């Protein structure tokens, strides 16, 4: 169980309920078979797990992550419940199930997979966010860079002194990937969605597939998406349809490896290491499974998730402690274990670029969605400039792209933190319909008429993703011990700690002058160090080798979540609901 998830960790501006208010769902009285532990996940709300007490109180509710997403009782669900699946224990359990599959390349470049005779064997792949590497670099101290922390993570998952050195089968991970590559693809797709160009989207078959309606809002933050789905469904048409980097990476790995290696998606086990607990819930969305993109003989996929498990930065320390590994003693140099070539050369070049790119400070710490779009607009309007207007606090900033004649050609904004998000969604709320026959809908006096922005970058965490709920915190015991604090760190120490994490996030090898040159359009066709044409070519190649339309691969959908709390339903309806949830994406 991820014991790290507790009510004490809740620090959102909107205080979520400590207890899950979803009632315990039970079938009509009848003998029932033991539940499959892979489908249900214990949620401990108060007290210790155990059987029904003498007083007749119910045992802890068995609530799946899909159930959690289907309930509108919580604002930030992932931080209000304790989830046994998607934890460091799950990682170790899966590693010990059977010997891992091995990818072997012969002298002619032909790729084969060894170990397929064991149906329980899996191919292990892990993707790591740059925010995670930055947080671990700050925890290491002594000027450790994000890249060096990345080497330590790579050695942990692939090296003999890491996970391979223990466990039942000595299993490790075949590939350790950087989600920055998927982030670059998401930036290009997101900019094309806002500004037009790139891939032509097909005509929608239903409302869920409709393109986003301006103003377009980022959708890479799962806490924000859950909040919108549960409390403000009128916002959903504005959410970007582009998948998050975590989701896009999962789809890329499952589709490409299953096609190229000739194995089923369920035999590829993808772990993601993220700065946010809500990423666990994102991974369990039914929209992010092979049911969306896989078809065999006209039948949809089995609902195998594109990302099988998510653990947070903090849980890395729990993972190593379980195996008796000292993370800080792992060498911060490239792993001596050579990762095998990816089975497709084009995807290999995309996933493993020859040189790491330095993050731009002006892009922020949450992926740079807005930053990329602003510079894309600027590249399409030669001679234009970007103007910044500070909002009511540091987490609200407005941006204008002004052309050479002084005319504003593009307006955008950044809203971080739930307190600011509430102000944003109020502006998007549609006007109330007039009660008079033939009357026009009107907004209350004094309220603005919607948003003037074309694009808004929205993140649930104040300060952005380097301050995610799953990141290492200054008041974590491991940091208190390493820094030698005699008392609990205060606000000033917290501020200094976040500055250390941000400094590690912006560390890198690429000279600042070259990066700024790329940001300013000094390199032909390059925007913020990224080649949109190269990204589009790679995405087109991905669609070609998998035989799947790019829209099904790179885009997703959202739906309103309607609570059933307090509603009376029959036993028959309850049986149908539970049966449906057991299917889903599990």
């Amino acid at each position: 169980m991820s014991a790290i998830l507790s009510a004490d960790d809740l620090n959102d501006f909107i205080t979520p309920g400590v207890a899950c208010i979803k009632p315990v769902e039970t079938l009509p009285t009848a003998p029932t078979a033991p539940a499959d532990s892979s489908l249900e996940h214990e949620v401990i709300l108060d007290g210790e797990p155990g059987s029904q007490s003498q007083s007749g109180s119910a045992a802890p509710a068995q609530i799946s992550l899909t159930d959690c997403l289907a309930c509108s009782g919580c604002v930030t669900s992932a931080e209000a419940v304790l989830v046994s699946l998607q934890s460091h224990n799950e990682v170790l359990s899966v590693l010990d199930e059977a010997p891992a599959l091995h990818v072997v390349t012969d002298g002619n470049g032909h790729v084969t997979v060894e170990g397929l005779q064991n149906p329980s064997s899996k191919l292990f792949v892990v993707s790591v966010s740059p925010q995670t590497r930055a947080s671990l670099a700050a925890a290491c101290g002594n000027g450790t860079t994000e890249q060096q922390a990345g080497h330590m993570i790579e050695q942990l998952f692939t090296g003999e002194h890491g996970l391979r050195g223990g466990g039942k089968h000595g299993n490790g991970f075949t590939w350790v990937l950087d989600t920055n590559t998927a982030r670059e693809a998401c930036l290009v797709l997101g900019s094309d969605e806002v500004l037009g160009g790139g891939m032509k989207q097909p005509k929608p078959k239903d409302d869920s597939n409709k393109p986003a309606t301006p103003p377009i809002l980022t959708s890479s933050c799962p806490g924000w998406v859950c909040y919108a789905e549960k409390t403000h469904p009128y916002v959903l048409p504005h959410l970007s349809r582009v998948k998050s980097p975590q989701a896009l990476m999962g789809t890329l790995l499952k589709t490409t490896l299953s096609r190229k290696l000739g194995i089923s998606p369920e035999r590829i086990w993808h772990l993601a290491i993220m700065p946010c607990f809500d990423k666990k819930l994102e991974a369990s969305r039914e929209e992010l499974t092979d049911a969306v993109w896989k078809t065999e003989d006209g039948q949809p996929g089995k609902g195998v998730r594109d990302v099988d498990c998510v653990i947070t930065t903090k849980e890395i320390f729990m993972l190593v402690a379980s195996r008796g590994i000292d993370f800080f003693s792992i060498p911060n140099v490239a792993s001596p274990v050579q990762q095998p070539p990816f089975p497709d050369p084009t995807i290999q070049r995309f996933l493993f670029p020859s040189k790491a790119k330095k993050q731009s400070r002006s892009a922020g710490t949450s992926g740079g969605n807005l930053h990329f779009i602003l510079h894309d607009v600027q590249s399409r309007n030669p001679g234009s400039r970007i103007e910044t207007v500070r909002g009511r606090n540091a987490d609200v900033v407005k941006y204008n792209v002004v052309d050479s004649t002084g005319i504003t050609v593009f307006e955008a904004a950044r809203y971080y933190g739930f307190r600011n998000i509430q102000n944003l969604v109020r502006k998007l709320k549609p006007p109330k319909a007039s009660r008079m026959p033939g009357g026009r809908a009107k907004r209350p006096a004094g309220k603005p008429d919607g948003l003037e922005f074309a694009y808004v970058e929205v993140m649930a965490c104040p300060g952005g993703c380097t301050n995610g709920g799953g990141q290492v915190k200054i008041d974590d015991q491991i940091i208190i011990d390493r820094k030698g604090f005699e008392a609990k760190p205060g606000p000033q120490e917290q501020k200094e700690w976040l500055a250390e994490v941000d400094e590690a996030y912006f560390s890198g090898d690429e000279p600042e002058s070259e990066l700024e040159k790329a940001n300013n359009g000094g390199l032909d066709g390059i925007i913020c160090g990224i080649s949109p044409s190269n990204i589009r070519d790679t995405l087109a190649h991905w669609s070609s080798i998998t035989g799947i339309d790019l829209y099904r691969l790179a885009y997703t959908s959202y739906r309103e979540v309607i609570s059933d709390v307090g509603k009376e339903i029959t036993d028959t309806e309850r049986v149908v609901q539970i049966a449906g949830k057991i299917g889903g994406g599990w």
Side-chain angles (χ1 to χ4, degrees):
M1 166 164 296
S2 294
I4 202 166
L5 283 166
S6 68
D8 295 335
D9 291 328
L10 300 178
N11 58 4
D12 294 320
F13 285 130
I14 294 180
T15 304
V18 173
C20 176
I21 66 172
K22 189 175 181 67
V24 178
E25 297 183 357
T26 56
L27 293 169
T29 304
T32 56
D36 186 345
S37 61
S38 67
L39 302 177
E40 300 292 339
H41 319 291
E42 190 174 52
V43 177
I44 302 175
L45 304 173
D46 189 16
E48 295 296 323
S51 59
Q52 191 167 338
S53 64
Q54 294 179 354
S55 62
S57 60
Q62 298 291 318
I63 301 176
S64 73
L65 286 175
T66 305
D67 289 328
C68 194
L69 285 171
C71 168
S72 62
C74 301
V75 173
T76 51
S77 312
E79 293 177 297
V81 298
L82 302 179
V83 185
S84 62
L85 193 68
Q86 301 202 51
S87 67
H88 72 286
N89 282 332
E90 177 69 9
V91 176
L92 298 176
S93 175
V94 174
L95 284 173
D96 285 345
E97 280 183 2
L101 296 177
H102 295 283
V103 176
V104 179
T105 306
D106 61 22
N108 297 322
H110 181 65
V111 179
T112 57
V113 180
E114 296 180 347
L116 289 173
Q117 63 274 14
N118 187 334
S120 298
S121 295
K122 300 180 185 297
L123 180 68
F124 296 105
V125 189
V126 57
S127 56
V128 187
S129 73
Q131 292 87 358
T132 288
R133 294 192 297 271
S135 186
L136 292 175
C140 293
N142 300 318
T144 302
T145 66
E146 179 214 328
Q147 185 181 46
Q148 290 173 326
H151 289 323
M152 297 171 72
I153 295 172
E154 182 182 349
Q155 296 229 31
L156 170 64
F157 285 98
T158 66
E160 297 297 332
H161 299 291
L163 297 179
R164 290 184 185 274
K168 187 175 180 180
H169 303 288
N171 288 334
F173 284 70
T174 301
W175 287 291
V176 179
L177 303 165
D178 181 2
T179 60
N180 258 331
T181 57
R183 177 188 67 89
E184 293 183 359
C186 292
L187 293 181
V188 174
L189 289 170
S191 187
D192 288 344
E193 182 183 37
V194 175
L195 306 178
M199 187 191 83
K200 184 178 180 181
Q201 298 185 16
K203 293 182 179 180
K205 297 179 180 179
D206 52 52
D207 289 344
S208 65
N209 290 326
K210 284 185 177 180
T213 303
I216 296 179
L217 315 176
T218 48
S219 59
S220 56
C221 173
W224 150 240
V225 171
C226 285
Y227 175 67
E229 288 184 324
K230 294 170 188 291
T231 62
H232 301 292
Y234 56 83
V235 171
L236 300 184
H238 300 285
L239 291 182
S240 169
R241 270 39 179 177
V242 178
K243 288 182 178 179
S244 72
Q246 170 184 296
L248 189 72
M249 178 66 83
T251 309
L252 174 64
L253 293 173
K254 289 291 181 88
T255 55
T256 305
L257 291 175
S258 62
R259 293 291 200 276
K260 287 291 184 177
L261 299 179
I263 59 178
S264 61
E266 57 260 40
R267 304 204 66 173
I268 303 163
W269 201 79
H270 176 209
L271 169 68
I273 308 177
M274 292 288 146
C276 173
F277 287 117
D278 286 323
K279 283 294 184 181
K280 296 173 183 277
L281 291 193
E282 178 189 298
S284 59
R285 293 180 67 91
E286 293 178 7
E287 295 87 349
L288 301 177
T289 67
D290 72 343
V292 175
W293 51 261
K294 182 184 178 185
T295 56
E296 288 183 355
D297 300 325
Q299 299 297 318
K302 301 177 181 178
V304 177
R305 287 170 294 177
D306 295 339
V307 180
D308 295 278
C309 181
V310 177
I311 62 174
T312 61
T313 309
K314 285 184 178 184
E315 291 171 288
I316 287 288
F317 293 117
M318 303 173 72
L319 180 69
V320 297
S322 298
R323 284 285 178 89
I325 301 170
D326 178 12
F327 180 80
F328 300 107
S329 67
I330 297 176
N332 61 5
V333 295
S335 173
V337 178
Q338 187 72 26
Q339 298 185 50
F342 208 74
D344 183 87
T346 301
I347 304 298
Q348 162 81 18
R349 289 190 295 271
F350 173 71
L351 293 176
F352 300 95
S354 59
K355 189 174 184 180
K357 296 177 182 176
K358 184 176 180 179
Q359 305 286 352
S360 171
R361 292 182 184 274
S362 57
T365 61
S366 300
N369 298 276
L370 175 58
H371 180 260
F372 185 87
I373 291 175
L374 288 171
H375 283 277
D376 195 357
V377 173
Q378 193 177 29
S379 71
R380 301 183 188 199
N381 295 271
S384 61
R385 65 184 186 276
I386 299 173
E387 295 182 347
T388 303
V389 181
R390 171 74 178 267
R392 60 191 301 171
N393 56 59
D395 283 321
V396 177
V397 183
K398 300 178 181 179
Y399 300 88
N400 298 321
V401 178
V402 182
D403 67 13
S404 57
T405 64
I407 298 176
T408 299
V409 296
F410 188 81
E411 294 179 275
R414 182 184 76 189
Y415 280 75
Y416 287 0
F418 274 119
R419 180 173 297 169
N420 296 318
I421 288 174
Q422 288 181 88
N423 294 328
L424 173 68
V425 297
R426 287 193 195 104
K427 296 178 181 179
L428 288 170
K429 190 172 184 178
K432 292 183 178 180
S434 173
R435 296 182 180 179
M436 298 295 293
R440 296 177 60 187
K442 294 184 179 180
R443 294 181 181 272
K447 283 200 172 184
D449 187 16
L451 279 178
E452 69 274 20
F453 309 119
Y455 183 80
V456 184
E457 182 176 276
V458 186
M459 297 290 163
C461 293
C465 295
T466 52
N467 189 33
Q471 294 283 73
V472 181
K473 303 297 184 183
I474 187 65
D475 54 358
D476 289 342
Q477 192 60 48
I478 193 168
I479 302 302
I480 292 176
D481 294 342
R482 286 184 66 80
K483 288 186 172 290
F485 289 128
E486 296 182 358
K488 185 176 181 178
Q492 182 59 34
E493 288 81 7
Q494 170 72 5
K495 183 177 180 180
E496 294 171 355
W497 171 255
L498 292 177
E500 289 182 41
V501 177
D502 287 349
E503 187 62 33
Y505 180 80
F506 295 122
S507 63
D509 292 335
E510 187 170 343
E512 186 71 21
S513 59
E514 286 298 315
L515 183 69
E516 291 303 318
K517 185 178 179 182
N519 286 342
N520 294 326
L523 300 179
D524 186 32
I526 303 297
I527 302 172
C528 300
I530 300 170
S531 171
S533 61
N534 182 59
I535 293 292
R536 295 186 189 108
D537 290 344
T538 302
L539 293 175
H541 173 77
W542 173 27
S543 175
S544 174
I545 63 174
T546 57
I548 304 171
D549 187 273
L550 186 56
Y551 193 83
R552 285 196 292 154
L553 294 172
Y555 293 80
T556 187
S557 60
Y558 313 95
R559 79 273 190 207
E560 178 182 359
V561 176
I562 301 175
S563 174
D564 59 1
V565 175
K567 296 180 180 178
E568 294 185 3
I569 59 176
T570 66
D571 288 341
T572 301
E573 291 173 328
R574 184 176 292 110
V575 171
V576 172
Q577 287 185 5
I578 294 177
K581 288 168 185 173
I582 290 177
W586 297 95

